[in-house]
Amino acid sequence: MKRSLGYIKAFVLVAIVCLLFGFAEKRHKTRNISKVEVKFTDSENLYVTEEVVNKLLIQNKLSISSIDKETLDLNRVESLLNKHQMIENAEVYLTIDGKLKAEVSQRKPIGRVVGNSSFYLDKNGDLMPLSEFYTARVPLMYGFDGANFTKAYALVNHIKNDEFLNRHITGINRLKGDKYTLELRERDFEVYFGDSSNVALKFNNFKAFYKKAQKEKKLDTYKKVNLQFGDQVVCTKK
């Protein structure tokens, strides 16, 4: 009899604990979200701002004052943010204290097309619109449009990822037949690159030439530097 009574007490205790836990869990889920926090993984260049992200959520009926945890669809929130043209990836999650947090990675431009239509070429080789909040310091691309800008991706991407080239090259001109010339900062000679083949070899030769000519103080004596042959640099003096 005593043993049976012990079992009954234990059962009742477990039932009460489960009931309280279920009640607390339900109350927790139905509690409204207290705050939205947006964190940018690269905060130095804001092509899209925290205010824009918050407005995007509110415009899509995700106002924190009108939605609870029970009905929030995190996948939908992420999908809404990832559709924005300046966002590369967004991860959204809820904290225990009721905060909705979004970690946002922005798209990264590597070149800017200038002409009848202006836009960026991003690090993945895709078209990226200009931002009203920030202008990227990237090489300007002339003679390009929406149909041919990706052909120069290997060239532009190499420049962006090389500290020396990124510091000295300010412009890329597209010629007929998808040949290219380069504009340099504070130098008036033309750099004829040719097509987009052998990019690494051509640039390695150019850097070796530039550093040697700079050391010998001869950079101002040239009017054209030709890199198209790949295995050599052909210079024309003024």
Side-chain angles (χ1 to χ4, degrees), residues 22-235:
F23 176 77
E25 180 71 9
K26 183 176 181 181
R27 184 177 180 184
H28 175 73
K29 286 183 177 180
T30 55
R31 185 178 299 168
N32 283 355
I33 296 169
S34 60
K35 187 178 181 182
V36 174
E37 293 184 0
V38 179
K39 177 184 177 182
F40 293 96
T41 56
D42 296 305
S43 59
E44 67 276 11
N45 297 334
L46 290 178
Y47 303 102
V48 57
T49 65
E50 181 177 346
E51 182 181 3
V52 170
V53 174
N54 282 327
K55 284 184 178 179
L56 181 64
L57 296 178
I58 293 172
Q59 288 171 358
N60 286 277
K61 300 179 181 179
L62 291 173
S63 173
I64 59 174
S65 63
S66 63
I67 194 169
D68 57 54
K69 299 175 185 178
E70 184 83 34
T71 58
L72 179 63
D73 185 346
L74 293 178
N75 289 330
R76 177 173 172 249
V77 177
E78 288 186 351
S79 178
L80 289 170
L81 295 180
N82 285 325
K83 287 179 180 178
H84 194 281
Q85 291 183 311
M86 296 296 174
I87 295 177
E88 181 174 316
N89 183 62
E91 295 184 2
V92 182
Y93 58 93
L94 277 170
T95 62
I96 297 176
D97 56 352
K99 294 179 181 177
L100 177 64
K101 292 194 173 185
E103 292 190 2
V104 177
S105 299
Q106 302 173 97
R107 296 174 67 185
K108 297 175 178 61
I110 60 174
R112 178 175 176 173
V113 172
V114 178
N116 294 331
S117 59
S118 295
F119 53 87
Y120 290 124
L121 170 67
D122 78 357
K123 69 173 187 176
N124 296 316
D126 297 321
L127 185 154
M128 174 181 171
L130 303 183
S131 170
E132 62 179 299
F133 304 105
Y134 185 84
T135 300
R137 296 185 63 183
V138 293
L140 300 179
M141 302 170 64
Y142 302 96
F144 294 86
D145 56 37
N148 56 42
F149 74 98
T150 57
K151 294 181 180 180
Y153 171 73
L155 173 65
V156 183
N157 191 52
H158 195 95
I159 294 172
K160 183 62 178 177
N161 292 321
D162 186 288
E163 183 181 354
F164 177 88
L165 299 175
N166 197 40
R167 183 169 69 252
H168 289 286
I169 296 176
T170 60
I172 302 166
N173 297 286
R174 176 181 173 271
L175 309 178
K176 289 183 178 180
D178 291 318
K179 304 293 179 65
Y180 308 100
T181 62
L182 309 176
E183 296 180 4
L184 302 181
R185 192 184 311 277
E186 298 179 354
R187 300 296 171 187
D188 61 356
F189 59 81
E190 177 187 285
V191 179
Y192 185 80
F193 193 85
D195 60 28
S196 58
S197 64
N198 300 316
V199 171
L201 176 61
K202 291 177 182 178
F203 274 133
N204 285 338
N205 289 339
F206 173 71
K207 289 196 292 184
F209 151 77
Y210 191 99
K211 291 176 181 178
K212 183 176 185 297
Q214 186 178 45
K215 184 177 181 180
E216 296 175 353
K217 298 182 179 180
K218 294 182 178 179
L219 284 173
D220 293 331
T221 66
Y222 300 108
K223 68 176 182 179
K224 184 175 181 179
V225 176
N226 194 333
L227 308 176
Q228 69 173 322
F229 303 109
D231 58 345
Q232 60 181 322
V233 178
V234 179
C235 301

